[in-house]
Amino acid sequence: MHLQQVRGYADIMAAHAGAATEAWRDGQEADVEQEMDRLTLSIVTAALFKLDSSAHAETVGETLPALQEIATRQFDRLIQVPEWIPTRENRRQRDLSAKLRGIVMAELLKRRAADAEGNDLLTMMVQASDAETGEGMTDAEICDEVVTLYLAGHETTALTLTYCWYQMARQPAIEARFHDEIDRVLAGRAPRFEDLERLPYTRMVFKEALRLYPPAYFMVRAVAEPFEMGGHRIPAGSVLMTSQFGMHRHPDLWDDPERFDPERFADDAERGWHKFKYFPFGGGPRICIGNQFALVEGPLILASIGQRYRFELLQPDQQVELEPQITLGPKGGLPLRLRQRSTGAGASTE
Ligand code: HEM
């Protein structure tokens, strides 16, 4: 997940983003959240696990959102029904989960049998061994890791992209600056990893969306040892919650915090900030392991799609309503109108 590793995934990211627009039509209304979700899921499938997407994408694309929907319903409930009670929802969850694990397990066995070599995560996990004990990971452990990475690795980025398109649909000046940058730097060709340095405004748009709409908008920690904070004694065993959403919009920390303004990130300004003023990827030992992946993937997708399509609000007063669940999503999705761009529309793979 280091930058050099992620660099190897950049072409897959740009190619999938380009392909995603092939079925789009000028003037069509589309749920942008769903479109972005499908796209980032296909990228995780192809880049991280090198699963044969044509064979698996459909099953993964169906089971994963269905499992997420169930998890969201459970998150909303005050009283949880234990998993072992065979309610209709629990049974469905078990079936979907078994289907997903079936795919991962089949791929896993193939790689074990072939003594596979490669740099995809699944192969790396098959080969990994504990530095002290020499023990490898069990199939069940690998399966858990894969499902976690699938869940953690696509919806967050998809939501951030959705808010980028929404804000650019609302603010023509920001959209124009973005178009100017990608048209000038790429001149119609597909973006590559090396281009990111020359696409600072595109990256600023993505970072500002992560500020105003942090997809992971809260974190929870269990207190291991008692300590004092702000005059309060916090006993061991307490559960503390901190909120990216709250900090990213705090009026003591930000000028006009509710305004979407990529300029805040000019010249990588965030490098000089306190690390918990802006922390969309969390912090400390459990910081997001996919942050480099997301910071490469997001701008590459923006640049790739932005050359071909722009997005329009359905009505001038259209407002997104946020729905804080496991992640911070737009309530009822985010329908926008797709408009094919006349310039730079045919990004080639040159
Ligand atoms: C915009 C995109 C993303 C955002 C905003 C995001 C945010 C976060 C946050 C806040 C955490 C820490 C949660 C906590 O401490 O309680 C986290 C953990 C994690 N993220 Fe991400 N993430 C993103 C993309 C990704 C991607 C692309 C991957 C994988 C490819 C990924 C994999 C993970 C994993 C495995 C963890 C758990 C790490 C651990 O517990 O040690 N994330 N993410």
Side-chain angles (χ1 to χ4, degrees):
M1 291 288 183
H2 293 292
L3 201 57
Q4 281 318 311
Q5 181 81 22
V6 173
R7 180 194 196 110
Y9 301 141
D11 289 348
I12 298 179
M13 293 166 175
H16 277 246
T21 61
E22 273 163 22
W24 294 0
R25 296 288 165 263
D26 185 43
Q28 180 191 340
E29 186 185 314
D31 182 343
V32 176
E33 186 200 3
Q34 246 178 41
E35 294 293 329
M36 294 300 112
D37 209 56
R38 214 172 300 152
L39 168 58
T40 53
L41 187 63
S42 77
I43 292 176
V44 171
T45 307
L48 291 188
F49 303 119
K50 297 224 165 36
L51 294 185
D52 176 357
S53 0
S54 50
H56 295 309
E58 224 169 284
T59 326
V60 175
E62 277 167 17
T63 47
L64 214 55
L67 275 168
Q68 273 170 287
E69 225 181 279
I70 295 176
T72 302
R73 273 203 300 274
Q74 290 169 342
F75 179 80
D76 269 350
R77 243 177 244 143
L78 267 182
I79 298 168
Q80 299 298 333
V81 182
E83 270 176 35
W84 53 266
I85 300 183
T87 58
R88 197 190 311 172
E89 186 176 83
N90 278 350
R91 276 183 286 134
R92 182 158 158 71
Q93 189 178 25
R94 210 174 309 144
D95 290 349
L96 288 165
S97 182
K99 211 166 164 185
L100 193 59
R101 279 165 187 276
I103 298 174
V104 179
M105 204 53 97
E107 287 292 324
L108 189 60
L109 292 177
K110 256 195 246 166
R111 280 165 222 226
R112 281 213 200 279
D115 223 353
E117 283 186 17
N119 67 350
D120 68 286
L121 276 184
L122 200 52
T123 308
M124 282 154 96
M125 286 192 250
V126 166
Q127 291 168 345
S129 59
D130 187 294
E132 281 168 21
T133 64
E135 270 176 38
M137 290 170 80
T138 65
D139 289 352
E141 280 168 345
I142 296 181
C143 242
D144 283 346
E145 290 293 334
V146 172
V147 174
T148 301
L149 280 164
Y150 252 130
L151 288 170
H154 85 283
E155 197 201 1
T156 40
T157 313
L159 286 172
T160 314
L161 288 163
T162 304
Y163 295 124
C164 289
W165 298 126
Y166 165 70
Q167 280 293 344
M168 285 199 276
R170 289 171 64 84
Q171 301 201 53
I174 295 178
E175 186 191 51
R177 218 175 132 187
F178 162 66
H179 283 160
D180 176 61
E181 180 174 271
I182 56 175
D183 293 349
R184 193 169 26 82
V185 172
L186 302 169
R189 67 168 170 79
R192 298 190 200 104
F193 179 84
E194 292 70 25
D195 294 315
L196 286 174
E197 222 173 294
R198 294 189 299 139
L199 295 169
Y201 195 71
T202 306
R203 288 187 282 122
M204 284 155 64
V205 169
F206 191 72
K207 289 184 216 171
E208 173 66 343
L210 281 170
R211 179 193 71 85
L212 197 58
Y213 308 103
Y217 62 99
F218 74 103
M219 300 193 302
V220 185
R221 290 291 183 271
V223 176
E225 287 171 22
F227 73 107
E228 282 228 357
M229 187 173 61
H232 300 278
R233 216 186 76 80
I234 316 285
S238 312
V239 174
L240 297 183
M241 201 168 128
T242 176
S243 165
Q244 285 93 328
F245 188 91
M247 294 300 277
H248 289 184
R249 292 183 179 223
H250 201 297
D252 290 353
L253 299 173
W254 306 91
D255 288 336
D256 203 357
E258 310 280 319
R259 190 160 55 93
F260 184 86
D261 179 11
E263 217 40 60
R264 300 176 201 275
F265 291 87
D267 303 320
D268 294 318
E270 70 277 14
R271 289 192 187 152
W273 298 340
H274 187 285
K275 65 179 177 184
F276 290 114
K277 168 176 168 167
Y278 175 72
F279 58 115
F281 296 105
R286 307 310 294 244
I287 195 168
C288 174
I289 61 161
N291 59 358
Q292 304 280 10
F293 189 96
L295 290 171
V296 168
E297 182 188 23
L300 282 179
I301 292 177
L302 287 178
S304 191
I305 291 181
Q307 290 182 89
R308 299 151 200 244
Y309 276 87
R310 47 186 296 275
F311 299 83
E312 275 177 9
L313 300 177
L314 298 185
Q315 302 98 28
D317 59 349
Q318 185 180 349
Q319 294 273 358
V320 69
E321 194 185 331
L322 297 177
E323 190 168 34
Q325 293 184 321
I326 299 172
T327 50
L328 186 65
K331 191 168 188 178
L334 211 127
L336 293 174
R337 192 166 314 285
L338 308 177
R339 286 283 174 216
Q340 194 156 16
R341 291 191 63 214
S342 51
T343 51
S348 70
T349 48
E350 252 325 283

